[in-house]
Amino acid sequence: MKSLIRSSVVCPDYSKGYPLISYGEGIYLYDESGKKYIDGSSGAAAVSNIGHGITEIADIMREQASRVSILPTHVFSARVVQDYLDVLVDFAPAGFEKVWTVTSGTEAVENAVKLALQYHQIRGDKRRHKIISRNISYHGNSIFMLDIGGMPLRKKMYNNWMNHFPHISAANLYRKPAEISEETYVNNLLAEFEQTLLDEDPYSFSAFVVEPVVAAAMGAAPAPSGYLERMHSLCKKYGILFISDEVLTGFGRTGARFGINKSGVIPDIIATGKGISGGYFPLSAVIASKQVMEPFVAQNSFFLGGHTYACNPMGAAVGHFVIEYMEKHKLIENANNQGNYLKEKLNRLYNLEIVGDIRGEGLLIGVEFVKDKKTKEPFPSEMNISKRIGELTMNAGVILYPGKGSCDGFSGDHLLICPPLIINNSQCDTIVDVLESCIKKLQDEILNT
Ligand SMILES: Cc1ncc(COP(=O)(O)O)c(C=O)c1O
């Protein structure tokens, strides 16, 4: 059942109607006609980590709203907020000391970058005004974050406000030159990073922003082995803060508390969001290491941030519940187990002519489609391959998250598979069966025309 979008509603595609969802339960969404979908994208995307329709959260929100939902935070805090912030710090890697919440991933990464800029300023290092980041990455949708991100298709409308800071190459093992080893590839990326710093004066940089697994921009591309560790060491060498953008990779998505954890790197600042509240409340957070906060504490100075909904009690109540729920139901372990299971089952998709790569960590998995498997040539962007496969799977009752630009920022089609972390084996099987038949269908269509 499709309903036409009302004229008052802003939506991405005015030409089509969207089914109206009436409720969700576990990994499923149900539209008004009763059709059932597997939410294999967990919202847009990787948000509903704990699943839909958990009534205990509704109870907690009702209870908190009837107590107090917002505070004059310039003069008050509340125990529910303080307790939650302590729990959040404990959830972060060792050495993290301070945290505050905001409401979107964009705000969290932007606040993390502002914290890094302020850190250098209050230490008297006024030169460090630049940020370094990577091509084919996504850090949020404000003008500032679009500039720091590396998605040309999203930036082009705002080109006059872009290009303040340098971007280095993406690290994408699938697109590594075939003739070099992974180690040489990483050496080259490191050399490029250091040369970019030296060309611009390394001491003019304040922070390096990185997604440990590049999610929507590159289709769940994990970092090559040793890459994050060595980038981190290079940042240390020049006094550049390392910001891990964990908006999508945080809260168990990759089979660890944070995506960076598997590398053993302890970043200076973590920006996180999405799964932090499982989608039950707009919530995100900046978590800062003791070392970053030291100059603020020593100078009795504070971070110049401030948003209306920062550290609000409703978000704290929901966020606290989500951490306890994840731990009680061992969702991080399940993300690892089901992620391995799903990837193993997906391997048979390599038999299909247009499936070039299957990759990812935990329950953040990407499938990249190519026109030519040998040369890895992508499909022309205007063929909208991933979007069309996404439409087919949706008709068949499985929602996935299509993306474009994984090859060079413009072309390269991929789909993210990132279901709630509560998923089980047979539900994974259904996703694989549906995806396989939909790819076959589109493949037959394009190869026969
Ligand atoms: C890695 C990353 N950073 C930042 C953001 C921005 O988060 P939000 O859409 O909540 O502002 C996203 C959103 O997809 C993301 O994936």
Side-chain angles (χ1 to χ4, degrees), residues 44-45 103-109 137-142 145 154 211 213 215-217 245-249 271 273-274 283-284 401:
T103 49
S104 72
T106 304
E107 268 178 286
V109 190
S137 64
Y138 184 59
H139 297 298
N141 222 354
S142 65
M145 285 302 109
R154 283 190 184 244
E211 290 173 82
V213 179
D245 178 345
E246 303 270 359
V247 170
L248 196 145
T249 49
K274 292 186 185 265
L283 186 67
S284 62
Y401 197 71

PDB file of all heavy atoms in Angstrom, residues 44-45 103-109 137-142 145 154 211 213 215-217 245-249 271 273-274 283-284 401, ligand 1:
ATOM      1  N   ALA A  44      17.361   4.963   9.655  1.00  0.00           N
ATOM      2  CA  ALA A  44      18.228   5.457   8.566  1.00  0.00           C
ATOM      3  C   ALA A  44      19.467   6.097   9.161  1.00  0.00           C
ATOM      4  O   ALA A  44      19.490   7.286   9.379  1.00  0.00           O
ATOM      5  CB  ALA A  44      17.467   6.452   7.691  1.00  0.00           C
ATOM      6  N   ALA A  45      20.433   5.385   9.298  1.00  0.00           N
ATOM      7  CA  ALA A  45      20.591   3.941   9.350  1.00  0.00           C
ATOM      8  C   ALA A  45      21.340   3.572  10.625  1.00  0.00           C
ATOM      9  O   ALA A  45      22.037   4.409  11.196  1.00  0.00           O
ATOM     10  CB  ALA A  45      21.422   3.485   8.137  1.00  0.00           C
ATOM     11  N   THR A 103      21.898  16.155  20.609  1.00  0.00           N
ATOM     12  CA  THR A 103      20.740  15.429  20.076  1.00  0.00           C
ATOM     13  C   THR A 103      20.936  14.757  18.716  1.00  0.00           C
ATOM     14  O   THR A 103      20.139  13.916  18.339  1.00  0.00           O
ATOM     15  CB  THR A 103      19.515  16.356  19.970  1.00  0.00           C
ATOM     16  OG1 THR A 103      19.909  17.545  19.316  1.00  0.00           O
ATOM     17  CG2 THR A 103      18.955  16.686  21.321  1.00  0.00           C
ATOM     18  N   SER A 104      21.953  15.144  17.938  1.00  0.00           N
ATOM     19  CA  SER A 104      22.145  14.467  16.642  1.00  0.00           C
ATOM     20  C   SER A 104      23.614  14.119  16.483  1.00  0.00           C
ATOM     21  O   SER A 104      24.486  14.695  17.155  1.00  0.00           O
ATOM     22  CB  SER A 104      21.717  15.372  15.485  1.00  0.00           C
ATOM     23  OG  SER A 104      22.657  16.418  15.317  1.00  0.00           O
ATOM     24  N   GLY A 105      23.872  13.209  15.558  1.00  0.00           N
ATOM     25  CA  GLY A 105      25.256  12.841  15.286  1.00  0.00           C
ATOM     26  C   GLY A 105      26.056  14.032  14.765  1.00  0.00           C
ATOM     27  O   GLY A 105      27.216  14.224  15.117  1.00  0.00           O
ATOM     28  N   THR A 106      25.418  14.818  13.924  1.00  0.00           N
ATOM     29  CA  THR A 106      26.083  16.008  13.368  1.00  0.00           C
ATOM     30  C   THR A 106      26.560  16.914  14.498  1.00  0.00           C
ATOM     31  O   THR A 106      27.711  17.364  14.511  1.00  0.00           O
ATOM     32  CB  THR A 106      25.098  16.781  12.458  1.00  0.00           C
ATOM     33  OG1 THR A 106      24.619  15.901  11.450  1.00  0.00           O
ATOM     34  CG2 THR A 106      25.759  17.981  11.824  1.00  0.00           C
ATOM     35  N   GLU A 107      25.667  17.175  15.439  1.00  0.00           N
ATOM     36  CA  GLU A 107      26.037  18.032  16.584  1.00  0.00           C
ATOM     37  C   GLU A 107      27.182  17.405  17.383  1.00  0.00           C
ATOM     38  O   GLU A 107      28.066  18.113  17.857  1.00  0.00           O
ATOM     39  CB  GLU A 107      24.852  18.153  17.544  1.00  0.00           C
ATOM     40  CG  GLU A 107      23.935  19.308  17.307  1.00  0.00           C
ATOM     41  CD  GLU A 107      22.799  19.220  18.312  1.00  0.00           C
ATOM     42  OE1 GLU A 107      21.925  18.340  18.138  1.00  0.00           O
ATOM     43  OE2 GLU A 107      22.792  19.991  19.268  1.00  0.00           O
ATOM     44  N   ALA A 108      27.131  16.076  17.546  1.00  0.00           N
ATOM     45  CA  ALA A 108      28.160  15.424  18.357  1.00  0.00           C
ATOM     46  C   ALA A 108      29.531  15.575  17.695  1.00  0.00           C
ATOM     47  O   ALA A 108      30.511  15.934  18.356  1.00  0.00           O
ATOM     48  CB  ALA A 108      27.821  13.940  18.548  1.00  0.00           C
ATOM     49  N   VAL A 109      29.606  15.328  16.378  1.00  0.00           N
ATOM     50  CA  VAL A 109      30.924  15.425  15.723  1.00  0.00           C
ATOM     51  C   VAL A 109      31.373  16.892  15.701  1.00  0.00           C
ATOM     52  O   VAL A 109      32.536  17.204  15.951  1.00  0.00           O
ATOM     53  CB  VAL A 109      30.912  14.839  14.292  1.00  0.00           C
ATOM     54  CG1 VAL A 109      32.340  14.736  13.760  1.00  0.00           C
ATOM     55  CG2 VAL A 109      30.277  13.462  14.252  1.00  0.00           C
ATOM     56  N   SER A 137      33.977   9.990   3.117  1.00  0.00           N
ATOM     57  CA  SER A 137      33.595   9.764   4.518  1.00  0.00           C
ATOM     58  C   SER A 137      32.383  10.658   4.805  1.00  0.00           C
ATOM     59  O   SER A 137      32.113  11.591   4.047  1.00  0.00           O
ATOM     60  CB  SER A 137      34.749  10.154   5.447  1.00  0.00           C
ATOM     61  OG  SER A 137      35.000  11.547   5.336  1.00  0.00           O
ATOM     62  N   TYR A 138      31.697  10.373   5.869  1.00  0.00           N
ATOM     63  CA  TYR A 138      30.531  11.208   6.233  1.00  0.00           C
ATOM     64  C   TYR A 138      30.591  11.535   7.714  1.00  0.00           C
ATOM     65  O   TYR A 138      30.743  10.648   8.553  1.00  0.00           O
ATOM     66  CB  TYR A 138      29.219  10.468   5.916  1.00  0.00           C
ATOM     67  CG  TYR A 138      27.987  11.302   6.184  1.00  0.00           C
ATOM     68  CD1 TYR A 138      27.801  12.513   5.519  1.00  0.00           C
ATOM     69  CD2 TYR A 138      27.023  10.901   7.103  1.00  0.00           C
ATOM     70  CE1 TYR A 138      26.680  13.303   5.753  1.00  0.00           C
ATOM     71  CE2 TYR A 138      25.890  11.682   7.344  1.00  0.00           C
ATOM     72  CZ  TYR A 138      25.731  12.873   6.661  1.00  0.00           C
ATOM     73  OH  TYR A 138      24.620  13.653   6.900  1.00  0.00           O
ATOM     74  N   HIS A 139      30.466  12.839   8.027  1.00  0.00           N
ATOM     75  CA  HIS A 139      30.523  13.236   9.436  1.00  0.00           C
ATOM     76  C   HIS A 139      29.334  14.097   9.850  1.00  0.00           C
ATOM     77  O   HIS A 139      29.360  14.678  10.936  1.00  0.00           O
ATOM     78  CB  HIS A 139      31.839  13.952   9.723  1.00  0.00           C
ATOM     79  CG  HIS A 139      33.044  13.080   9.507  1.00  0.00           C
ATOM     80  ND1 HIS A 139      33.273  11.928  10.237  1.00  0.00           N
ATOM     81  CD2 HIS A 139      34.060  13.161   8.618  1.00  0.00           C
ATOM     82  CE1 HIS A 139      34.395  11.346   9.815  1.00  0.00           C
ATOM     83  NE2 HIS A 139      34.881  12.070   8.832  1.00  0.00           N
ATOM     84  N   GLY A 140      28.329  14.213   8.978  1.00  0.00           N
ATOM     85  CA  GLY A 140      27.150  14.970   9.371  1.00  0.00           C
ATOM     86  C   GLY A 140      26.745  15.964   8.303  1.00  0.00           C
ATOM     87  O   GLY A 140      27.460  16.176   7.315  1.00  0.00           O
ATOM     88  N   ASN A 141      25.602  16.593   8.533  1.00  0.00           N
ATOM     89  CA  ASN A 141      24.947  17.333   7.453  1.00  0.00           C
ATOM     90  C   ASN A 141      24.884  18.841   7.650  1.00  0.00           C
ATOM     91  O   ASN A 141      24.194  19.531   6.902  1.00  0.00           O
ATOM     92  CB  ASN A 141      23.528  16.769   7.277  1.00  0.00           C
ATOM     93  CG  ASN A 141      23.166  16.620   5.824  1.00  0.00           C
ATOM     94  OD1 ASN A 141      23.924  17.038   4.945  1.00  0.00           O
ATOM     95  ND2 ASN A 141      22.020  16.045   5.560  1.00  0.00           N
ATOM     96  N   SER A 142      25.537  19.382   8.683  1.00  0.00           N
ATOM     97  CA  SER A 142      25.632  20.850   8.766  1.00  0.00           C
ATOM     98  C   SER A 142      26.678  21.281   7.740  1.00  0.00           C
ATOM     99  O   SER A 142      27.450  20.459   7.239  1.00  0.00           O
ATOM    100  CB  SER A 142      26.070  21.275  10.172  1.00  0.00           C
ATOM    101  OG  SER A 142      27.381  20.817  10.416  1.00  0.00           O
ATOM    102  N   MET A 145      30.133  20.286   8.927  1.00  0.00           N
ATOM    103  CA  MET A 145      30.414  18.848   8.876  1.00  0.00           C
ATOM    104  C   MET A 145      30.450  18.320   7.442  1.00  0.00           C
ATOM    105  O   MET A 145      31.190  17.386   7.148  1.00  0.00           O
ATOM    106  CB  MET A 145      29.372  18.083   9.712  1.00  0.00           C
ATOM    107  CG  MET A 145      29.593  18.211  11.191  1.00  0.00           C
ATOM    108  SD  MET A 145      31.248  17.623  11.670  1.00  0.00           S
ATOM    109  CE  MET A 145      32.036  19.142  12.073  1.00  0.00           C
ATOM    110  N   ARG A 154      27.037  15.298  -1.822  1.00  0.00           N
ATOM    111  CA  ARG A 154      26.299  16.045  -0.796  1.00  0.00           C
ATOM    112  C   ARG A 154      26.803  17.470  -0.674  1.00  0.00           C
ATOM    113  O   ARG A 154      26.111  18.356  -0.174  1.00  0.00           O
ATOM    114  CB  ARG A 154      26.439  15.362   0.565  1.00  0.00           C
ATOM    115  CG  ARG A 154      25.577  14.135   0.700  1.00  0.00           C
ATOM    116  CD  ARG A 154      25.598  13.683   2.143  1.00  0.00           C
ATOM    117  NE  ARG A 154      24.861  12.462   2.315  1.00  0.00           N
ATOM    118  CZ  ARG A 154      23.746  12.360   3.056  1.00  0.00           C
ATOM    119  NH1 ARG A 154      23.279  13.405   3.692  1.00  0.00           N
ATOM    120  NH2 ARG A 154      23.128  11.216   3.177  1.00  0.00           N
ATOM    121  N   GLU A 211      36.120   7.807  10.649  1.00  0.00           N
ATOM    122  CA  GLU A 211      35.164   6.729  10.969  1.00  0.00           C
ATOM    123  C   GLU A 211      35.958   5.428  10.997  1.00  0.00           C
ATOM    124  O   GLU A 211      36.581   5.072   9.987  1.00  0.00           O
ATOM    125  CB  GLU A 211      34.124   6.579   9.854  1.00  0.00           C
ATOM    126  CG  GLU A 211      33.123   7.668   9.705  1.00  0.00           C
ATOM    127  CD  GLU A 211      32.286   7.434   8.434  1.00  0.00           C
ATOM    128  OE1 GLU A 211      31.338   6.644   8.486  1.00  0.00           O
ATOM    129  OE2 GLU A 211      32.586   8.036   7.402  1.00  0.00           O
ATOM    130  N   VAL A 213      35.028   2.364  10.785  1.00  0.00           N
ATOM    131  CA  VAL A 213      34.530   1.599   9.637  1.00  0.00           C
ATOM    132  C   VAL A 213      33.704   2.614   8.848  1.00  0.00           C
ATOM    133  O   VAL A 213      32.780   3.206   9.409  1.00  0.00           O
ATOM    134  CB  VAL A 213      33.611   0.423  10.075  1.00  0.00           C
ATOM    135  CG1 VAL A 213      33.083  -0.326   8.865  1.00  0.00           C
ATOM    136  CG2 VAL A 213      34.349  -0.521  11.016  1.00  0.00           C
ATOM    137  N   ALA A 215      30.949   3.931   6.990  1.00  0.00           N
ATOM    138  CA  ALA A 215      29.621   3.327   6.880  1.00  0.00           C
ATOM    139  C   ALA A 215      28.884   3.766   5.615  1.00  0.00           C
ATOM    140  O   ALA A 215      29.094   3.204   4.546  1.00  0.00           O
ATOM    141  CB  ALA A 215      28.850   3.659   8.144  1.00  0.00           C
ATOM    142  N   ALA A 216      28.029   4.782   5.721  1.00  0.00           N
ATOM    143  CA  ALA A 216      27.138   5.125   4.606  1.00  0.00           C
ATOM    144  C   ALA A 216      27.906   5.608   3.381  1.00  0.00           C
ATOM    145  O   ALA A 216      27.491   5.376   2.243  1.00  0.00           O
ATOM    146  CB  ALA A 216      26.145   6.182   5.068  1.00  0.00           C
ATOM    147  N   ALA A 217      29.032   6.287   3.575  1.00  0.00           N
ATOM    148  CA  ALA A 217      29.746   6.866   2.429  1.00  0.00           C
ATOM    149  C   ALA A 217      30.435   5.798   1.584  1.00  0.00           C
ATOM    150  O   ALA A 217      30.592   5.968   0.381  1.00  0.00           O
ATOM    151  CB  ALA A 217      30.772   7.884   2.928  1.00  0.00           C
ATOM    152  N   ASP A 245      34.798   9.140  14.944  1.00  0.00           N
ATOM    153  CA  ASP A 245      33.375   9.383  14.693  1.00  0.00           C
ATOM    154  C   ASP A 245      32.656   8.051  14.812  1.00  0.00           C
ATOM    155  O   ASP A 245      32.702   7.209  13.911  1.00  0.00           O
ATOM    156  CB  ASP A 245      33.182   9.993  13.301  1.00  0.00           C
ATOM    157  CG  ASP A 245      31.706  10.223  12.981  1.00  0.00           C
ATOM    158  OD1 ASP A 245      30.842   9.655  13.688  1.00  0.00           O
ATOM    159  OD2 ASP A 245      31.410  10.954  12.011  1.00  0.00           O
ATOM    160  N   GLU A 246      32.017   7.872  15.944  1.00  0.00           N
ATOM    161  CA  GLU A 246      31.326   6.615  16.268  1.00  0.00           C
ATOM    162  C   GLU A 246      29.815   6.821  16.257  1.00  0.00           C
ATOM    163  O   GLU A 246      29.091   6.126  16.973  1.00  0.00           O
ATOM    164  CB  GLU A 246      31.766   6.135  17.664  1.00  0.00           C
ATOM    165  CG  GLU A 246      33.252   5.941  17.814  1.00  0.00           C
ATOM    166  CD  GLU A 246      33.715   4.535  17.446  1.00  0.00           C
ATOM    167  OE1 GLU A 246      32.872   3.704  17.091  1.00  0.00           O
ATOM    168  OE2 GLU A 246      34.942   4.302  17.538  1.00  0.00           O
ATOM    169  N   VAL A 247      29.372   7.790  15.464  1.00  0.00           N
ATOM    170  CA  VAL A 247      27.930   8.046  15.418  1.00  0.00           C
ATOM    171  C   VAL A 247      27.207   6.780  14.968  1.00  0.00           C
ATOM    172  O   VAL A 247      26.196   6.381  15.549  1.00  0.00           O
ATOM    173  CB  VAL A 247      27.628   9.244  14.490  1.00  0.00           C
ATOM    174  CG1 VAL A 247      26.131   9.369  14.246  1.00  0.00           C
ATOM    175  CG2 VAL A 247      28.182  10.533  15.099  1.00  0.00           C
ATOM    176  N   LEU A 248      27.756   6.139  13.947  1.00  0.00           N
ATOM    177  CA  LEU A 248      27.086   4.938  13.438  1.00  0.00           C
ATOM    178  C   LEU A 248      27.712   3.652  13.996  1.00  0.00           C
ATOM    179  O   LEU A 248      27.021   2.659  14.213  1.00  0.00           O
ATOM    180  CB  LEU A 248      27.139   4.956  11.901  1.00  0.00           C
ATOM    181  CG  LEU A 248      26.181   4.017  11.178  1.00  0.00           C
ATOM    182  CD1 LEU A 248      25.684   4.641   9.870  1.00  0.00           C
ATOM    183  CD2 LEU A 248      26.799   2.672  10.899  1.00  0.00           C
ATOM    184  N   THR A 249      29.018   3.692  14.254  1.00  0.00           N
ATOM    185  CA  THR A 249      29.706   2.455  14.657  1.00  0.00           C
ATOM    186  C   THR A 249      29.647   2.189  16.162  1.00  0.00           C
ATOM    187  O   THR A 249      30.080   1.136  16.608  1.00  0.00           O
ATOM    188  CB  THR A 249      31.186   2.516  14.217  1.00  0.00           C
ATOM    189  OG1 THR A 249      31.723   3.777  14.633  1.00  0.00           O
ATOM    190  CG2 THR A 249      31.335   2.385  12.719  1.00  0.00           C
ATOM    191  N   ALA A 271      32.873  10.832  19.278  1.00  0.00           N
ATOM    192  CA  ALA A 271      31.548  11.428  19.014  1.00  0.00           C
ATOM    193  C   ALA A 271      30.628  10.274  18.671  1.00  0.00           C
ATOM    194  O   ALA A 271      30.954   9.462  17.806  1.00  0.00           O
ATOM    195  CB  ALA A 271      31.633  12.396  17.847  1.00  0.00           C
ATOM    196  N   GLY A 273      26.300   8.583  18.539  1.00  0.00           N
ATOM    197  CA  GLY A 273      24.877   8.930  18.407  1.00  0.00           C
ATOM    198  C   GLY A 273      24.069   7.687  18.081  1.00  0.00           C
ATOM    199  O   GLY A 273      24.341   6.602  18.572  1.00  0.00           O
ATOM    200  N   LYS A 274      23.075   7.843  17.248  1.00  0.00           N
ATOM    201  CA  LYS A 274      22.230   6.760  16.725  1.00  0.00           C
ATOM    202  C   LYS A 274      21.868   5.683  17.765  1.00  0.00           C
ATOM    203  O   LYS A 274      20.949   5.863  18.539  1.00  0.00           O
ATOM    204  CB  LYS A 274      22.902   6.145  15.497  1.00  0.00           C
ATOM    205  CG  LYS A 274      22.947   7.115  14.295  1.00  0.00           C
ATOM    206  CD  LYS A 274      23.477   6.433  13.071  1.00  0.00           C
ATOM    207  CE  LYS A 274      23.657   7.359  11.883  1.00  0.00           C
ATOM    208  NZ  LYS A 274      22.547   7.390  10.968  1.00  0.00           N
ATOM    209  N   LEU A 283      19.290  11.592  20.576  1.00  0.00           N
ATOM    210  CA  LEU A 283      20.367  11.630  21.560  1.00  0.00           C
ATOM    211  C   LEU A 283      21.704  11.333  20.881  1.00  0.00           C
ATOM    212  O   LEU A 283      21.786  10.483  19.992  1.00  0.00           O
ATOM    213  CB  LEU A 283      20.097  10.571  22.638  1.00  0.00           C
ATOM    214  CG  LEU A 283      21.042  10.544  23.845  1.00  0.00           C
ATOM    215  CD1 LEU A 283      20.874  11.804  24.698  1.00  0.00           C
ATOM    216  CD2 LEU A 283      20.778   9.299  24.709  1.00  0.00           C
ATOM    217  N   SER A 284      22.726  12.054  21.299  1.00  0.00           N
ATOM    218  CA  SER A 284      24.093  11.791  20.827  1.00  0.00           C
ATOM    219  C   SER A 284      25.022  12.281  21.929  1.00  0.00           C
ATOM    220  O   SER A 284      24.572  12.902  22.897  1.00  0.00           O
ATOM    221  CB  SER A 284      24.357  12.518  19.512  1.00  0.00           C
ATOM    222  OG  SER A 284      24.244  13.916  19.683  1.00  0.00           O
ATOM    223  N   TYR A 401      19.820  -0.354   3.124  1.00  0.00           N
ATOM    224  CA  TYR A 401      20.161   1.072   3.013  1.00  0.00           C
ATOM    225  C   TYR A 401      21.113   1.307   1.830  1.00  0.00           C
ATOM    226  O   TYR A 401      22.316   1.071   1.943  1.00  0.00           O
ATOM    227  CB  TYR A 401      20.809   1.533   4.322  1.00  0.00           C
ATOM    228  CG  TYR A 401      20.835   3.033   4.483  1.00  0.00           C
ATOM    229  CD1 TYR A 401      19.662   3.736   4.716  1.00  0.00           C
ATOM    230  CD2 TYR A 401      22.032   3.742   4.391  1.00  0.00           C
ATOM    231  CE1 TYR A 401      19.682   5.117   4.860  1.00  0.00           C
ATOM    232  CE2 TYR A 401      22.057   5.124   4.542  1.00  0.00           C
ATOM    233  CZ  TYR A 401      20.873   5.800   4.775  1.00  0.00           C
ATOM    234  OH  TYR A 401      20.902   7.162   4.917  1.00  0.00           O
TER     235      TYR A 401
HETATM  236  C1  LIG B   1      29.582   8.464  10.689  1.00  0.00           C
HETATM  237  C2  LIG B   1      28.471   9.466  10.840  1.00  0.00           C
HETATM  238  N1  LIG B   1      28.729  10.669  11.401  1.00  0.00           N
HETATM  239  C3  LIG B   1      27.778  11.599  11.563  1.00  0.00           C
HETATM  240  C4  LIG B   1      26.481  11.367  11.149  1.00  0.00           C
HETATM  241  C5  LIG B   1      25.426  12.412  11.339  1.00  0.00           C
HETATM  242  O1  LIG B   1      24.462  11.987  12.259  1.00  0.00           O
HETATM  243  P1  LIG B   1      22.995  12.624  12.276  1.00  0.00           P
HETATM  244  O2  LIG B   1      22.326  12.212  11.017  1.00  0.00           O
HETATM  245  O3  LIG B   1      22.369  12.035  13.509  1.00  0.00           O
HETATM  246  O4  LIG B   1      23.174  14.097  12.388  1.00  0.00           O
HETATM  247  C6  LIG B   1      26.161  10.133  10.565  1.00  0.00           C
HETATM  248  C7  LIG B   1      24.798   9.861  10.093  1.00  0.00           C
HETATM  249  O5  LIG B   1      24.537   8.963   9.333  1.00  0.00           O
HETATM  250  C8  LIG B   1      27.178   9.167  10.396  1.00  0.00           C
HETATM  251  O6  LIG B   1      26.931   7.971   9.829  1.00  0.00           O
END
